[in-house]
Structures are given as structure tokens and as C-alpha cells.
Amino acid sequence: MEHALSPTALAELRRPRPYPAVSVLTPTHRREPYNAQDRVRLRNAVAEAKKQLETDPEVTRERRVDVAAQLDQALGEVDLTHAEDGLVIFAAPGEHQVWSLGRAVPERVVLSDTFLTRNLVSAQVSERPFWVLSVSADRATLWNGGGGRVTEERTGGFPLTRRNENFDPERLERFGDMPSTFRDEGTRHFLRETDTAMGAVLRDDPRPLYVTGEQAALSCLDEVGDASRRAVHIPHGGLTHGTPDAVWQAVRPVVEAEDLRTIDTVTKELESARGRKEFVAGVDEVWQNAREARVRLLAVEENYRVIVRDDGGHLVPASSDDRDAREDIVDEIVEQCLETGADVRFVPDGTLADANGIAGVLRY
């Protein structure tokens, strides 16, 4: 199952497909007893997708058989043992994907000529993804962080290892020469290559970057590099061969402190926007301005959800039984704002109590 949504992956998912491109969304649960029905609900959702394929006159028999087989293969790849809060299956002629999300999704099936991506986008942003680069004199490891965890990322050439066969960091450490290792031209060249590789990753998938390593390694990286110079440095060695949990425990206090600073910045900016008459609040008012590309900063409480319907000019409260109910309107707003270049920030529940869970700062 897929977890990390890079800009490249998102662009590929948004590519038009031969009809039908099927999106199957279903909420899942991390713990008992709530997860007891997840398997049944997922099978029912896939069965509903097959039923829609059967009854859609625009779907040829050949494509119906193909996409139904893709749905079955996707179902077989689902691992609910490690379920998060939502699951999305994409299936089209000749292809399928399964995505596990750390954010709840509405239960629905959509047939179109593109996959439904807004829930993936919203889940990715809400997890506040970041990179961790762990460096030493002979190895550099990249970690993908977000949602309270990190996993090793094997992309952009990472992990990188030094090619010098005569390099022996253990011998240097034994003889007390380790600090001078980072003045060695071979080491500096290796760290320069590491910085270049990290710069390429950041260009493809921009995120906050944290760098871990011995202080001597961090100082050397600052001297020879550029991309990592703008990162948050965490003096903690031994993580290039570390476990994901060890890396997360090392960066967690710094990441959480950065999150608190971000929340404080967002709340101050919202308050300032009130005085300038550039403040909007509530799902309807934010949606109206998001569609006009007027939102510069969007703030959303982490678990804010609301079901609405469009009465022709405004969004009004609705129930999930309503025919025109829009259960993922918040995710629609998030994706719309990102599409128009807005900064989107998720904040803890209760932060926007006086704004009904969602607020924005306008461009004009």
C-alpha cells in the first residue's frame, strides 16, 4: 500500500485515463473494536464499484472485465493489519493502486476519466510531511517523516555510501582522529555529493528538512553544501544505520517545537487579518473565496469535518442521506486552495473555535 504522496505521484494520478477510472474510498480504523467491520465495508465498497461498472452503458464489456480484475487485485493487496484512518483504491484499465491515509475519508465510489485525488492531497498536508537527512563520514540516509513517524526513503540515490575502500571510520575513531575526518577532502567531497542529492529531492518534493549527525559532520555539511544549510540541524550521531523509531525519537522534540511555532504564527496572522478586513471564516465563506482564488492562507482544524449541500449559491448543512450531500467539502477546499497557491495549515482541534473550524486570510 502507498503512503507518501509526492508531487510526481500526484501528477501521475491526475493524468486522464480511459473511462472508467474508478475511485473507491472507505474509512478504516487503527484499533479494536472499531476495525472489526473494516474488511466487510471494504468488500461492500468494491462490490458497489463492480455493480456500477455493470450498469454503466458507457463501459464496454472488455473494459468492465479488465477494471473488475484490477479491483480484485487491489483488494488482495490491502493490509488492514496496519490500517490508518482511510483507504483509497484506484483502478482503471491495466492498472490499480492502493493508498492508506492518516485522515478519514467518506465512503464513496466514483467513476470518471480521472482518479479522485482531493482526499489524498488533504491527508498528505494534514500529516505535515518533512524530510530527515542523517549523515556521517561514510553514509547518508534519507527518512520520510510525517504523521508521528518516519520511514526510510530509498529515492534520489539514497542511501549514499562513500566509495573510498581505504576509509575506515572505526580506525580513525579508535586513534582519536575522527574530528579531522571532516577536514579530509574525500569526506568533504562525499558530503558535497550528499547535499547535491538532497537538493534534487527537495526540488521534486519541497518539505521542511531536518539534518542529524555529529556536530563535526553538520558543520562540514554547512561549509560544502547549500540545500542542507537551510535545514534545521539536530546534533545526534549514529542514525545513518538507525531504526525509524530511533530517528523519530531524535527529531520529535524539534519537529513538535516547530509545529508549535507554526501554530502560533498562523493564529497571529489570522488575528492580524481581522483588523485588515482580510479574514474569512466558516465553510461557506471560505469556499466562496477559495473558488475565486482569493485565499492566501487557509487554516483548518485537524479533525474538522462537515457535511453540506449546495443550495445554488451557498453551502448549507446537510446529512449524509441527502442526495446532493458533499461529505468531503473540507478536502475539496484544501485542494482548491493548494491549486491556487495558498499556504494550507492544519492546526489542533479547538484552535479555530470562534471560526467554526476553518478560516482564511485573503489576498485582497
Side-chain angles (χ1 to χ4, degrees), residues 11-19 21 92 95 112-115:
E12 169 59 22
L13 285 174
R14 285 175 168 168
R15 174 177 58 81
R17 261 80 178 172
Y19 188 84
E95 63 173 321
S112 183
D113 57 0
T114 58
F115 292 137

Side-chain angles (χ1 to χ4, degrees), residues 233-253:
H233 287 190
I234 302 174
H236 192 302
L239 295 178
T240 56
H241 289 282
T243 64
D245 184 63
V247 175
W248 170 237
Q249 294 306 321
V251 303
R252 181 176 182 174

Side-chain angles (χ1 to χ4, degrees), residues 40-306:
V40 175
R41 293 181 68 173
L42 179 58
R43 290 188 178 279
N44 288 343
V46 171
E48 173 60 26
K50 290 181 178 179
K51 180 180 177 181
Q52 290 191 28
L53 288 171
E54 286 280 352
T55 57
D56 191 329
E58 295 185 35
V59 181
T60 65
R61 181 183 181 280
E62 180 182 6
R63 287 189 176 174
R64 182 170 65 250
V65 172
D66 186 344
V67 176
Q70 297 294 333
L71 287 168
D72 287 337
Q73 290 181 49
L75 190 59
E77 295 172 9
V78 172
D79 180 10
L80 289 176
T81 305
H82 301 99
E84 297 178 275
D85 301 307
L87 190 77
V88 178
I89 291 177
F90 295 130
E95 63 173 321
H96 67 272
Q97 293 187 35
V98 180
W99 288 81
S100 178
L101 309 182
R103 181 171 167 83
V105 299
E107 190 166 356
R108 65 188 306 188
V109 174
V110 178
L111 273 63
S112 183
D113 57 0
T114 58
F115 292 137
L116 186 66
T117 60
R118 60 176 172 255
N119 305 96
L120 271 69
V121 171
S122 184
Q124 179 79 349
V125 176
S126 70
E127 288 196 341
R128 296 184 286 277
F130 57 88
W131 295 117
V132 180
L133 175 64
S134 298
V135 297
S136 66
D138 64 334
R139 183 177 172 86
T141 309
L142 182 63
W143 307 89
N144 181 1
R149 66 178 186 273
V150 300
T151 56
E152 185 174 355
E153 182 77 10
R154 294 181 175 269
T155 189
F158 288 97
L160 299 174
T161 55
R162 191 172 177 181
R163 300 185 183 89
N164 190 343
E165 295 180 359
N166 296 321
F167 179 72
D168 185 354
E170 290 186 4
R171 184 193 69 78
L172 292 171
E173 187 172 23
R174 192 163 56 247
F175 285 91
D177 295 332
M178 184 57 83
S180 65
T181 301
F182 296 99
R183 293 193 292 272
D184 172 72
E185 186 54 38
T187 303
R188 294 170 70 85
H189 178 72
F190 171 69
L191 292 179
R192 193 177 296 113
E193 287 183 335
T194 297
D195 182 83
T196 300
M198 190 68 242
V201 171
L202 289 171
R203 282 192 297 275
D204 289 340
D205 192 352
R207 304 182 188 181
L209 172 63
Y210 301 88
V211 182
T212 74
E214 299 291 345
Q215 185 59 60
L218 299 179
S219 298
C220 183
L221 196 61
D222 255 0
E223 293 174 11
V224 303
D226 179 59
S228 53
R229 190 179 302 156
R230 300 185 294 272
V232 177
H233 287 190
I234 302 174
H236 192 302
L239 295 178
T240 56
H241 289 282
T243 64
D245 184 63
V247 175
W248 170 237
Q249 294 306 321
V251 303
R252 181 176 182 174
V254 181
V255 171
E256 291 180 346
E258 288 289 318
D259 285 345
L260 288 175
R261 277 192 287 271
T262 297
I263 294 166
D264 185 56
T265 299
V266 168
T267 54
K268 287 180 178 177
E269 194 158 355
L270 290 171
E271 190 60 37
S272 177
R274 287 180 187 268
R276 301 191 308 269
K277 308 296 184 183
E278 296 174 356
F279 176 83
V280 290
V283 66
D284 180 50
E285 192 173 12
V286 172
W287 174 235
Q288 300 293 336
N289 285 278
R291 288 193 299 175
E292 297 172 4
R294 294 188 63 200
V295 178
R296 176 175 62 81
L297 169 67
L298 176 70
V300 186
E301 291 186 354
E302 290 172 346
N303 294 300
Y304 176 64
R305 289 282 180 184
V306 62

